[in-house]
Amino acid sequence: MQKTAFAIKGNLFYSADKDHLVSLPSGYLICEDGKSAGVFERLPAGYEGIPVEDYGDSLVIPGLVDLHLHAPQYGYRALGMDLELLDWLNINTFPQEARYADLSYAEKGYRIFTEDLAKGATTRACVFATIHVPATELLMDLLEKTGLKTMVGKVNMDRNSPAYLCETDAAQSLADTEWWIADCEGRYQNTVPILTPRFTPSCSDTLMEGLGKLQKRTGLPVQSHLSENRSEVAWVKELCPETGCYGESYDRFGLFGGDGCPAVMAHCVYSAGEELDLIERRGVFIAHCPQSNTNLASGVAPVRTFLDRGLRVGLGTDVAGGFSASIFRAMCDAVQASKLRWRLSDDSLKPLSMQEAFYLGTLGGGAFFGKVGSFEKDYEFDAVVLDDSGLRSPMELTPEQRLERVIYLSEESAVAAKYVAGCKIKG
Ligand SMILES: [Zn+2]
């Protein structure tokens, strides 16, 4: 069968691993049937004559991966940041999410969210919607059209939630979820449903048990929150006195990774000991959300420990606990937060480097989607072309320095073109 190939040319960057950033100035990145065929100084034998899109002096990086964000919260990002998690949920989040029962409001909110996400440097994301099935499907329809690859979750919550945003009981929550999954079948190419118990406090044991069975039957991935904030961790301890750690409150229902259950848990600020062992054993992905953890005064996750132990970790913006939807910004927040943690509370965990943060925002999180986040051969061809000519400087900067500036200045407007799985979706 004839394969379709093309190349893009520019200053290429990708992480070989967490410690090594590969750079190839004026290099060729070849796409063959939606996947990378590798990077080359010149077009190799067999590829002469393929179409080449020459991006000149632009920087070309793998698409960024956001492992955790809430689409219905996008509209009020950068508002009401002076609260801790549980108050913030009750005062800001729940009333806003309740509005997504109204499809015309949902259409407004989700259109803004999807258009903005499509413009920036993110190519893949794990997204929370709300408890409402029609609005969740609307969000999936809109995301599908952007060409971004996303996992989207209808949220489950049947207890400890305000009456206006609480499902009647576990049976109704499960019935809605099953109906939604069946309705998604065969409908999307880019968008995948992901099971989304909001967090242990808002899901009864009966609901968790049902979701566990549903996971087993469907093999769908799971996303939730874990050990984000001290009051939340104490609350879970009260609700589940028989569990040894917060992670076990998901694990006992088969919702915490392991064979056939890809799972991503946001935050893990207070994960330690037994919980980290369980995360490691089950291969759970950690979505590190440094900006949200700072805004809601949750703390700073021990990312150095995660990396040293070889745990699977990527970055999340956690909009709207995080006010910025930029994974560039999450990279720089991750570095800054790790420096403060090191200086103020634990000097045994050295700060993250920018190379490590770049790895987390590309290859680290990309692994949740398969072979994603690198330009090495056989990785899905997700590429972002950055025209940073607007970031002026009298200095002569190397391509590495220019990339560092784009990241620190979170210059999403530099995105000149974007490819996802070989399809050009912008530029
Ligand atoms: Zn969240």
Side-chain angles (χ1 to χ4, degrees), residues 198-201 224-229 232-233 236-237 240 243-251 256 275 278:
R198 179 173 212 115
F199 67 156
T200 295
S224 195
H225 296 92
L226 183 69
S227 298
E228 173 177 2
N229 168 283
E232 172 221 21
V233 173
V236 171
K237 190 80 217 152
C240 314
T243 55
C245 64
Y246 189 162
E248 211 184 309
S249 71
Y250 300 107
D251 189 59
F256 203 65
E275 184 157 287
L278 193 60

Short mmCIF file of all heavy atoms in Angstrom, two decimals, residues 198-201 224-229 232-233 236-237 240 243-251 256 275 278:
data_model
loop_
_atom_site.label_atom_id
_atom_site.label_comp_id
_atom_site.label_asym_id
_atom_site.label_seq_id
_atom_site.Cartn_x
_atom_site.Cartn_y
_atom_site.Cartn_z
N ARG A 198 -15.85 12.36 40.31
CA ARG A 198 -15.22 13.66 40.58
C ARG A 198 -14.07 13.53 41.57
O ARG A 198 -12.94 13.90 41.27
CB ARG A 198 -16.23 14.66 41.11
CG ARG A 198 -15.59 15.99 41.40
CD ARG A 198 -16.51 17.10 41.77
NE ARG A 198 -15.90 18.31 41.26
CZ ARG A 198 -16.39 19.07 40.32
NH1 ARG A 198 -17.56 18.83 39.80
NH2 ARG A 198 -15.72 20.12 39.88
N PHE A 199 -14.37 13.05 42.75
CA PHE A 199 -13.37 12.65 43.73
C PHE A 199 -14.12 11.86 44.81
O PHE A 199 -15.35 11.90 44.86
CB PHE A 199 -12.52 13.81 44.26
CG PHE A 199 -13.19 14.89 45.10
CD1 PHE A 199 -12.41 15.63 45.99
CD2 PHE A 199 -14.54 15.17 45.02
CE1 PHE A 199 -12.98 16.64 46.77
CE2 PHE A 199 -15.12 16.18 45.79
CZ PHE A 199 -14.32 16.90 46.66
N THR A 200 -13.40 11.14 45.62
CA THR A 200 -14.03 10.24 46.58
C THR A 200 -15.13 10.91 47.41
O THR A 200 -16.20 10.32 47.59
CB THR A 200 -12.95 9.60 47.47
OG1 THR A 200 -12.15 8.78 46.62
CG2 THR A 200 -13.55 8.75 48.57
N PRO A 201 -14.93 12.13 47.93
CA PRO A 201 -16.00 12.71 48.75
C PRO A 201 -17.34 12.82 48.02
O PRO A 201 -18.39 12.76 48.65
CB PRO A 201 -15.45 14.10 49.12
CG PRO A 201 -13.98 13.93 49.10
CD PRO A 201 -13.71 12.96 47.98
N SER A 224 -9.47 11.19 37.86
CA SER A 224 -10.05 11.75 39.08
C SER A 224 -9.01 12.61 39.80
O SER A 224 -7.98 12.96 39.21
CB SER A 224 -10.58 10.63 39.99
OG SER A 224 -11.43 11.19 40.97
N HIS A 225 -9.33 12.95 41.05
CA HIS A 225 -8.43 13.77 41.87
C HIS A 225 -7.89 12.93 43.01
O HIS A 225 -8.59 12.05 43.51
CB HIS A 225 -9.20 14.95 42.46
CG HIS A 225 -9.74 15.91 41.44
ND1 HIS A 225 -11.00 15.80 40.90
CD2 HIS A 225 -9.18 16.99 40.84
CE1 HIS A 225 -11.21 16.77 40.03
NE2 HIS A 225 -10.11 17.52 39.98
N LEU A 226 -6.68 13.25 43.46
CA LEU A 226 -6.08 12.48 44.55
C LEU A 226 -5.17 13.35 45.42
O LEU A 226 -4.29 14.05 44.90
CB LEU A 226 -5.25 11.33 43.95
CG LEU A 226 -4.59 10.37 44.94
CD1 LEU A 226 -5.63 9.53 45.67
CD2 LEU A 226 -3.59 9.45 44.23
N SER A 227 -5.40 13.27 46.73
CA SER A 227 -4.50 13.88 47.72
C SER A 227 -4.03 15.28 47.31
O SER A 227 -2.85 15.58 47.25
CB SER A 227 -3.28 12.98 47.93
OG SER A 227 -3.71 11.73 48.45
N GLU A 228 -5.05 16.15 47.10
CA GLU A 228 -4.76 17.50 46.63
C GLU A 228 -4.50 18.47 47.77
O GLU A 228 -3.60 19.30 47.71
CB GLU A 228 -5.96 17.98 45.77
CG GLU A 228 -5.89 19.44 45.33
CD GLU A 228 -7.05 19.84 44.43
OE1 GLU A 228 -7.94 18.98 44.20
OE2 GLU A 228 -7.07 20.99 43.97
N ASN A 229 -5.32 18.34 48.82
CA ASN A 229 -5.37 19.40 49.82
C ASN A 229 -5.57 18.77 51.20
O ASN A 229 -6.24 17.75 51.31
CB ASN A 229 -6.56 20.29 49.39
CG ASN A 229 -7.00 21.28 50.41
OD1 ASN A 229 -7.67 20.90 51.38
ND2 ASN A 229 -6.67 22.53 50.22
N GLU A 232 -9.14 18.05 52.37
CA GLU A 232 -9.75 17.01 51.52
C GLU A 232 -9.23 15.63 51.93
O GLU A 232 -10.01 14.67 52.06
CB GLU A 232 -9.41 17.32 50.06
CG GLU A 232 -9.79 16.24 49.07
CD GLU A 232 -8.71 16.03 48.00
OE1 GLU A 232 -7.54 16.41 48.23
OE2 GLU A 232 -9.04 15.47 46.96
N VAL A 233 -7.93 15.52 52.16
CA VAL A 233 -7.34 14.24 52.55
C VAL A 233 -7.94 13.78 53.89
O VAL A 233 -8.30 12.61 54.06
CB VAL A 233 -5.79 14.35 52.64
CG1 VAL A 233 -5.19 13.08 53.22
CG2 VAL A 233 -5.19 14.65 51.27
N VAL A 236 -11.51 12.48 53.36
CA VAL A 236 -11.52 11.13 52.77
C VAL A 236 -11.22 10.10 53.86
O VAL A 236 -11.83 9.03 53.92
CB VAL A 236 -10.53 11.02 51.59
CG1 VAL A 236 -10.39 9.58 51.13
CG2 VAL A 236 -10.99 11.90 50.44
N LYS A 237 -10.30 10.44 54.74
CA LYS A 237 -9.96 9.53 55.85
C LYS A 237 -11.21 9.25 56.72
O LYS A 237 -11.46 8.14 57.15
CB LYS A 237 -8.84 10.18 56.68
CG LYS A 237 -8.20 9.30 57.72
CD LYS A 237 -7.16 8.36 57.11
CE LYS A 237 -7.21 7.03 57.81
NZ LYS A 237 -6.83 5.85 57.11
N CYS A 240 -13.74 7.14 54.58
CA CYS A 240 -13.30 5.77 54.29
C CYS A 240 -12.29 5.33 55.35
O CYS A 240 -11.09 5.16 55.04
CB CYS A 240 -12.62 5.70 52.92
SG CYS A 240 -13.49 6.53 51.60
N THR A 243 -9.73 2.43 54.76
CA THR A 243 -8.66 2.43 53.74
C THR A 243 -7.35 2.93 54.34
O THR A 243 -7.34 3.80 55.22
CB THR A 243 -9.02 3.34 52.54
OG1 THR A 243 -9.31 4.64 53.04
CG2 THR A 243 -10.22 2.81 51.78
N GLY A 244 -6.26 2.38 53.84
CA GLY A 244 -4.93 2.77 54.33
C GLY A 244 -4.47 4.10 53.76
O GLY A 244 -3.66 4.80 54.34
N CYS A 245 -4.97 4.44 52.60
CA CYS A 245 -4.60 5.72 51.96
C CYS A 245 -5.72 6.12 51.02
O CYS A 245 -6.59 5.32 50.65
CB CYS A 245 -3.28 5.60 51.21
SG CYS A 245 -3.33 4.44 49.83
N TYR A 246 -5.71 7.38 50.61
CA TYR A 246 -6.74 7.95 49.73
C TYR A 246 -6.83 7.12 48.44
O TYR A 246 -7.92 6.77 47.97
CB TYR A 246 -6.35 9.41 49.46
CG TYR A 246 -7.34 10.30 48.75
CD1 TYR A 246 -7.18 11.70 48.82
CD2 TYR A 246 -8.40 9.81 47.99
CE1 TYR A 246 -8.05 12.57 48.17
CE2 TYR A 246 -9.27 10.68 47.33
CZ TYR A 246 -9.08 12.05 47.41
OH TYR A 246 -9.94 12.91 46.76
N GLY A 247 -5.67 6.78 47.87
CA GLY A 247 -5.65 6.01 46.61
C GLY A 247 -6.44 4.72 46.71
O GLY A 247 -7.08 4.28 45.75
N GLU A 248 -6.43 4.14 47.89
CA GLU A 248 -7.15 2.87 48.09
C GLU A 248 -8.67 3.06 47.94
O GLU A 248 -9.38 2.11 47.62
CB GLU A 248 -6.81 2.34 49.48
CG GLU A 248 -6.83 0.83 49.56
CD GLU A 248 -6.58 0.36 51.00
OE1 GLU A 248 -5.60 0.82 51.62
OE2 GLU A 248 -7.40 -0.42 51.49
N SER A 249 -9.15 4.27 48.18
CA SER A 249 -10.60 4.52 48.05
C SER A 249 -11.05 4.36 46.60
O SER A 249 -12.22 4.12 46.33
CB SER A 249 -10.98 5.89 48.61
OG SER A 249 -10.51 6.93 47.77
N TYR A 250 -10.13 4.49 45.64
CA TYR A 250 -10.43 4.18 44.23
C TYR A 250 -10.04 2.73 43.92
O TYR A 250 -10.75 2.01 43.21
CB TYR A 250 -9.65 5.10 43.29
CG TYR A 250 -9.93 6.57 43.44
CD1 TYR A 250 -9.00 7.43 44.04
CD2 TYR A 250 -11.12 7.12 42.97
CE1 TYR A 250 -9.25 8.79 44.18
CE2 TYR A 250 -11.38 8.48 43.10
CZ TYR A 250 -10.44 9.31 43.71
OH TYR A 250 -10.70 10.65 43.83
N ASP A 251 -8.91 2.34 44.46
CA ASP A 251 -8.34 1.03 44.11
C ASP A 251 -9.26 -0.12 44.51
O ASP A 251 -9.38 -1.12 43.80
CB ASP A 251 -6.97 0.88 44.78
CG ASP A 251 -6.23 -0.34 44.29
OD1 ASP A 251 -5.99 -0.42 43.06
OD2 ASP A 251 -5.91 -1.22 45.10
N PHE A 256 -8.23 2.35 39.86
CA PHE A 256 -6.93 2.97 40.15
C PHE A 256 -5.83 2.24 39.39
O PHE A 256 -4.90 1.69 39.96
CB PHE A 256 -6.67 2.91 41.66
CG PHE A 256 -5.69 3.93 42.18
CD1 PHE A 256 -5.96 5.29 42.14
CD2 PHE A 256 -4.48 3.52 42.74
CE1 PHE A 256 -5.06 6.21 42.65
CE2 PHE A 256 -3.57 4.44 43.27
CZ PHE A 256 -3.87 5.79 43.22
N GLU A 275 0.71 5.10 49.52
CA GLU A 275 -0.01 5.59 48.33
C GLU A 275 0.91 5.64 47.11
O GLU A 275 0.51 5.26 46.01
CB GLU A 275 -0.61 6.97 48.60
CG GLU A 275 -1.45 7.48 47.44
CD GLU A 275 -2.46 8.52 47.89
OE1 GLU A 275 -3.45 8.16 48.53
OE2 GLU A 275 -2.24 9.72 47.61
N LEU A 278 1.39 2.21 45.80
CA LEU A 278 0.22 1.76 45.04
C LEU A 278 0.20 2.41 43.64
O LEU A 278 -0.07 1.74 42.64
CB LEU A 278 -1.05 2.13 45.82
CG LEU A 278 -2.36 1.50 45.36
CD1 LEU A 278 -2.30 -0.03 45.43
CD2 LEU A 278 -3.53 2.01 46.23
#
